[in-house]
Amino acid sequence: MSLPLSLLLLASTSPLATPMPDPQAVQPGPGDQARTEEDVQRSSAAADVVVTARRREERAQNVPIPISVVGVKELDSTGSFNVQRLQQLQPTLQFYSTNPRNSSVNIRGLGAPLGLTNDGIEQGVGVYIDQVYFSRVAVATLDFLDVQQVETLRGPQGTLYGKNTVAGAINITSKAPSFDFEGRAELSVGNMEFKQAKASVSGPLADDLAVRLGVSTTSRRGTIYNVASGNHVNAQDNIGLRGALLWRATDTLNLTLSGDWNRQNPECCAQIYVRYGPTQRAANRQYPALTQALGYAVPSANPFHRLTDLDAELNALNEMGGASLRAELDTGNGTLTSVTAWRFWNWGPANDRDFTGLPITTLSQNPTKQDQFTQEFRYAGEGKGFDYVLGAFAFYQGIRTTGVQQQGPAASRWLINPSSALANDPSVLNGLTAENDIRLKNFSGALFGKLNLKLGDKFTVSPGVRVNYDDKVGSYISVVTDSAGNLVPYSGGNARQAAQRDALQPQAFEDEKYRAWNVSYDLTLSYKPSRDVLLYATYAHSFKSGGLNLNGVPVVNGVVQTELAQVDPEQVDHFELGAKTQFWDRKATLNIAGFWTVIKDYQAVVNNGANSTLRGYLANAGEVRVRGVETDFSLRPSERLNLYVNGAYTDHEYVEFGNAPCPPELSGGSAAPVGSAGGTPGVPGQLSPVVCDISGQWLPGISNWAFSYGAEYNAPAELFGLEGEFYLGGDANSRSKFSSNASRSIYTDIQGYTLANFRAGFRTDDFNLFGWVRNAFDEAHFEVLATTPGNTGLISGQPGDPRTYGLTLSKSF
């Protein structure tokens, strides 16, 4: 995708022009000076955006961190009701999901490996809601609930936000309880039976006590039709509740008690036939020959017909909630904050792991229950010429996953070599069952500090450090039995048991431990030559926690390779140069940042190629590098028009990964001699290399070029006696080609695409009615492409949403 350099004039503090901050966008702490209405009006006129990225209230243009901010008005008007939608407004934010548990949130292409489900591994982008850390990225699939503002911090944030923020952090702020009575209701309807309703109300219960309640519900018919069940699958079915109490206990102490509950329960998530990509497996063991032998054909070979015939149950029950207590005490020279939280996550899935309408894998599910407890103490103080943040953080997580996979009557013919008589005996694998028990206890503790030392009026030096300790203990047990309930041994046995073991490998390891100390530190130098110009340079050393492979590890000759159970932490060195500028009386904002990130011991996914519960495990690649330039540009020449352009160029590669898994076109055949490159790629019957050197190749999920851009124009008008304005807006995002496989494959590159959205309506201060269309040009595109187990050459995928349209009505009071 070739794009002119001039289009690099893109976004900074907000992807949506110049969002006007609400007076309650960030509630000041007891020690903060209250913002008057005059301050708010002046701030709005100057296109200011207020953030809490450094754990204090600041103008975004004064913070030496690349930040994208989306306020409540932009979230509502663009239909960005979850992180997946939010990525369309922010070119360096990527979200990939085949189901809520198997999701990745990445920034600048870094964060978590695509396609990995592993309880013992951490994410690389921290998600925080009201200062509470969410340890599992499944929260990113839930609807935003009564949200005021979303800040996306790009680059390592390990000092203030802790471990596992090597790529950045998403800081979400909910609307706070108000001491003035207020409320809002919104209703949206659209094609594909889309229905969404949101409501919130807030007000005082007493002179010193205020409450806020919010509810949101979303439903939509699935985007894929299952001809086998007669149902539309990959649907939406979300509901969320949130409540908060604010108690002004004294003039210097505020207490906020919050609670929430969210549930998704759609018939989801199907990945459907995309294409056949030949591997090096014997031709009679690849997809065309196997389907012919079983008399099977997919409903359509065109994935954008959106048809499937998956025969196993599909479900994606995702339940999450919790409670938190935040205390803020004004000490005179600063604010002492305590955040105590408990979170739970219940995951109840059902999948079709053979990706066909054949009864190969008839049952596949790994339900999990997780609880986490966090406690943070933080003191933000200031003195003459400096300010600082000191804190301590503790985290505990308990996980229990109990999975089951069962093979069906077509499994023998699909999985066993046709030259064996066992392939024609359905009873060999029919009813073969693996029952998994996965457990993890995860503790983390940290001490941290950040100093901003002002050397004169223009120059600031900001060092930071965080010391972190991790303690993880995990177990993985997989018991495999045949249809009669007989145990399948780890090794040995008869030919029938060997074939069963090739399909589902039993194994066990218990009380595997990972314990380590790590230190993160950073140094930022910032220079402010004038009111509207900020220059900064940052070096950060951070890490992503090591962990345990709790999907199982390879078994060689009956021996469980427990030395592969532990995964080393990623070590990150990051350099950044940036400039934040405003001009034309702050009607225009132009920010630019250049970055260079090197990760040693990068946690990369490795697939073993079998059709088993061992879907993948992690190994450490030697080194990866991501570098690039981001620019953000927004302009508001008048009250009638605002526009923005955000973009990024990202260069990315595995610098050193000599023992990587091979792509499907170099897999499936008999093992080539060690060190050999193997036979011709994509030709059946060839020898396959044991490992592949993918040094110099792309990382998955990253486009070289990504852009988001949009504009809105309004004109004064009167409608039904209401004084207001008509408006017309549009936004779009474009990205170039990217790889969708851990080792880049000729079969799994996703071509670049552009998604355009439009809206038009009438609004007043408290009323809004508008029509909208998303993916207006019905761009056919894939969100994910994936190789399926067994090296049969079947490539599955998840098509993105087609064109959708509808109407939204909202009213505030």
Side-chain angles (χ1 to χ4, degrees):
M1 180 177 179
S2 177
L3 295 168
L5 186 60
S6 61
L7 285 182
L8 274 176
L9 296 178
L10 322 178
S12 162
T13 51
S14 174
L16 284 178
T18 52
M20 298 297 99
D22 189 295
Q24 297 176 2
V26 181
Q27 292 293 318
D32 297 332
Q33 182 178 356
R35 300 172 67 205
T36 66
E37 184 64 28
E38 182 181 355
D39 292 331
V40 173
Q41 292 174 354
R42 186 183 304 115
S43 172
S44 298
D48 283 351
V49 178
V50 177
V51 298
T52 56
R54 295 194 296 182
R55 301 306 195 188
R56 61 177 68 245
E57 192 177 328
E58 300 175 281
R59 224 183 128 242
Q61 286 296 105
N62 291 336
V63 178
I65 300 171
I67 310 172
S68 297
V69 183
V70 181
V72 60
K73 292 181 180 179
E74 291 70 43
L75 292 171
D76 291 340
S77 65
T78 60
S80 303
F81 58 84
N82 57 27
V83 172
Q84 183 173 17
R85 293 289 183 86
L86 186 65
Q87 70 171 337
Q88 295 188 21
L89 303 178
Q90 302 181 356
T92 52
L93 176 66
Q94 298 99 24
F95 178 76
Y96 306 100
S97 178
T98 55
N99 60 50
R101 187 182 188 220
N102 195 4
S103 299
S104 303
V105 175
N106 290 352
I107 296 175
R108 295 171 172 171
L110 301 174
L114 263 64
L116 182 70
T117 301
N118 195 317
D119 290 336
I121 304 300
E122 309 282 359
Q123 60 199 54
V125 173
V127 178
Y128 291 78
I129 300 181
D130 298 328
Q131 304 183 40
V132 176
Y133 173 64
F134 283 63
S135 62
R136 291 297 163 182
V137 79
V139 67
T141 67
L142 299 173
D143 290 359
F144 293 144
L145 182 56
D146 211 16
V147 165
Q148 179 64 44
Q149 184 166 284
V150 180
E151 305 167 18
T152 302
L153 288 65
R154 307 194 292 269
Q157 306 297 324
T159 299
L160 288 179
Y161 286 86
K163 65 171 185 172
N164 308 326
T165 56
V166 295
I170 298 175
N171 186 28
I172 300 173
T173 303
S174 301
K175 294 179 182 177
S178 169
F179 282 91
D180 295 319
F181 182 73
E182 63 182 32
R184 184 177 184 275
E186 177 182 292
L187 177 65
S188 299
V189 294
N191 66 326
M192 301 179 65
E193 302 174 20
F194 176 76
K195 296 180 289 293
Q196 185 176 73
K198 303 176 185 177
S200 63
V201 63
S202 185
L205 297 178
D207 290 343
D208 58 358
L209 186 66
V211 65
R212 186 173 196 94
L213 300 173
V215 61
S216 173
T217 178
T218 303
S219 65
R220 192 185 72 178
R221 192 192 72 197
T223 57
I224 294 172
Y225 182 68
N226 189 335
V227 299
S229 67
N231 297 334
H232 286 88
V233 299
N234 293 11
Q236 294 178 0
D237 181 10
N238 308 343
I239 186 170
L241 303 171
R242 181 182 182 273
L245 281 171
L246 171 60
W247 179 31
R248 291 179 175 170
T250 70
D251 291 340
T252 59
L253 176 63
N254 284 349
L255 299 173
T256 303
L257 177 65
S258 302
D260 66 276
W261 174 80
N262 299 268
R263 190 209 67 187
Q264 296 174 321
N265 193 25
E267 187 171 356
C268 191
C269 299
Q271 294 184 64
I272 66 175
Y273 176 94
V274 173
R275 65 174 66 101
Y276 162 62
T279 71
Q280 293 178 320
R281 203 181 198 195
N284 64 353
R285 301 196 67 189
Q286 295 205 38
Y287 183 81
L290 291 171
T291 52
Q292 183 179 15
L294 289 166
Y296 172 76
V298 293
S300 174
N302 183 344
F304 294 105
H305 289 165
R306 301 178 184 272
L307 298 175
T308 189
D309 61 349
L310 299 182
D311 59 332
E313 180 187 359
L314 296 177
N315 194 32
L317 175 62
N318 184 30
E319 184 183 26
M320 186 175 292
S324 68
L325 176 64
R326 184 172 73 249
E328 297 165 301
L329 176 67
D330 178 10
T331 64
N333 292 324
T335 301
L336 177 63
T337 301
S338 169
V339 183
T340 307
W342 162 72
R343 304 291 310 169
F344 74 89
W345 179 39
N346 296 330
W347 168 237
N351 307 292
D352 193 322
R353 284 280 301 155
D354 59 54
F355 304 93
T356 72
L358 292 166
I360 301 167
T361 301
T362 54
L363 187 63
S364 177
Q365 53 195 42
N366 280 276
T368 185
K369 292 184 178 296
Q370 302 190 20
D371 285 276
Q372 74 166 57
F373 301 86
T374 57
Q375 174 63 59
E376 182 171 13
F377 294 105
R378 188 174 65 247
Y379 184 76
E382 60 181 84
K384 187 175 181 180
F386 68 92
D387 60 69
Y388 59 92
V389 176
L390 297 173
F393 177 77
F395 166 86
Y396 176 79
Q397 178 186 45
I399 302 177
R400 175 78 184 276
T401 298
T402 52
V404 60
Q405 179 167 325
Q406 188 171 83
Q407 304 307 123
S412 295
R413 184 63 186 84
W414 189 268
L415 299 175
I416 300 175
N417 193 324
S419 63
S420 169
L422 296 175
N424 295 314
D425 183 355
S427 69
V428 175
L429 298 185
N430 188 25
L432 185 71
T433 303
E435 294 183 301
N436 305 326
D437 188 1
I438 304 169
R439 305 185 188 212
L440 176 70
K441 295 179 180 179
N442 180 10
F443 170 80
S444 181
L447 298 173
F448 60 91
K450 181 74 174 180
L451 172 68
N452 297 312
L453 178 62
K454 299 176 182 178
L455 304 179
D457 296 333
K458 299 181 179 180
F459 191 65
T460 303
V461 178
S462 303
V465 65
R466 189 179 189 105
V467 179
N468 192 90
Y469 175 70
D470 283 306
D471 189 328
K472 301 180 181 180
V473 180
S475 302
Y476 177 87
I477 300 173
S478 180
V479 177
V480 180
T481 56
D482 63 19
S483 59
N486 300 310
L487 288 174
V488 175
Y490 283 20
S491 62
N494 55 37
R496 186 183 182 95
Q497 291 172 321
Q500 293 169 340
R501 191 165 52 245
D502 286 342
L504 296 176
Q505 172 67 59
Q507 64 170 285
F509 56 86
E510 298 185 70
D511 296 328
E512 190 69 27
K513 297 178 177 64
Y514 171 84
R515 290 170 179 154
W517 289 89
N518 277 283
V519 179
S520 296
Y521 48 89
D522 58 53
L523 177 65
T524 297
L525 307 179
S526 58
Y527 177 66
K528 196 171 178 61
S530 66
R531 183 190 71 161
D532 294 329
V533 176
L534 174 69
L535 309 176
Y536 64 92
T538 296
Y539 166 71
H541 177 81
S542 189
F543 77 101
K544 185 167 78 171
S545 173
L548 303 173
N549 271 313
L550 296 183
N551 266 0
V553 294
V555 178
V556 179
N557 298 322
V559 179
V560 180
Q561 306 298 292
T562 54
E563 68 274 12
L564 299 176
Q566 288 199 20
V567 182
D568 290 336
E570 295 182 353
Q571 301 294 333
V572 182
D573 288 292
H574 173 82
F575 304 85
E576 185 137 8
L577 294 173
K580 294 188 172 186
T581 68
Q582 288 184 307
F583 50 94
W584 195 9
D585 195 25
R586 292 190 175 178
K587 295 176 181 177
T589 299
L590 173 62
N591 297 346
I592 185 168
F595 61 91
W596 189 304
T597 305
V598 175
I599 302 180
K600 296 186 182 297
D601 293 326
Y602 178 74
Q603 295 172 358
V605 67
V606 177
N607 293 304
N608 73 336
N611 191 68
S612 71
T613 51
L614 177 53
R615 282 172 271 176
Y617 61 98
L618 281 185
N620 293 102
E623 183 178 316
V624 303
R625 184 203 66 224
V626 176
R627 59 189 178 187
V629 178
E630 302 167 345
T631 58
D632 305 334
F633 177 69
S634 62
L635 178 66
R636 187 163 190 168
S638 72
E639 294 182 0
R640 302 287 163 243
L641 176 66
N642 65 75
L643 55 89
Y644 72 93
V645 187
N646 306 336
Y649 169 74
T650 308
D651 175 56
H652 51 97
E653 68 174 34
Y654 293 102
V655 176
E656 179 188 348
F657 198 2
N659 61 337
C662 293
E665 60 268 26
L666 285 170
S667 302
S670 299
V674 175
S676 169
T680 306
V683 175
Q686 300 287 299
L687 297 178
S688 297
V690 177
V691 295
C692 287
D693 186 347
I694 61 172
S695 303
Q697 291 189 16
W698 282 1
L699 294 170
I702 313 178
S703 296
N704 286 137
W705 296 92
F707 299 91
S708 61
Y709 39 94
E712 184 177 288
Y713 178 78
N714 67 73
E718 182 177 329
L719 182 67
F720 304 126
L722 299 175
E723 295 288 340
E725 62 187 22
F726 284 113
Y727 63 94
L728 175 66
D731 60 87
N733 68 97
S734 303
R735 63 182 304 182
S736 60
K737 180 168 62 176
F738 63 96
S739 169
S740 186
N741 199 57
S743 295
R744 191 180 180 191
S745 168
I746 58 177
Y747 305 134
T748 56
D749 273 359
I750 294 180
Q751 296 302 311
Y753 54 82
T754 294
L755 303 179
N757 315 303
F758 300 99
R759 59 189 179 275
F762 174 81
R763 65 188 170 209
T764 68
D765 290 339
D766 58 5
F767 173 82
N768 194 4
L769 174 65
F770 66 98
W772 46 265
V773 56
R774 299 181 184 122
N775 190 7
F777 304 114
D778 204 18
E779 176 87 352
H781 65 289
F782 290 106
E783 294 180 349
V784 174
L785 291 177
T787 58
T788 59
N791 292 306
T792 66
L794 172 60
I795 305 297
S796 67
Q798 194 160 297
D801 281 358
R803 179 192 297 117
T804 58
Y805 50 86
L807 192 69
T808 294
L809 172 66
S810 65
K811 173 67 176 175
S812 300
F813 54 89

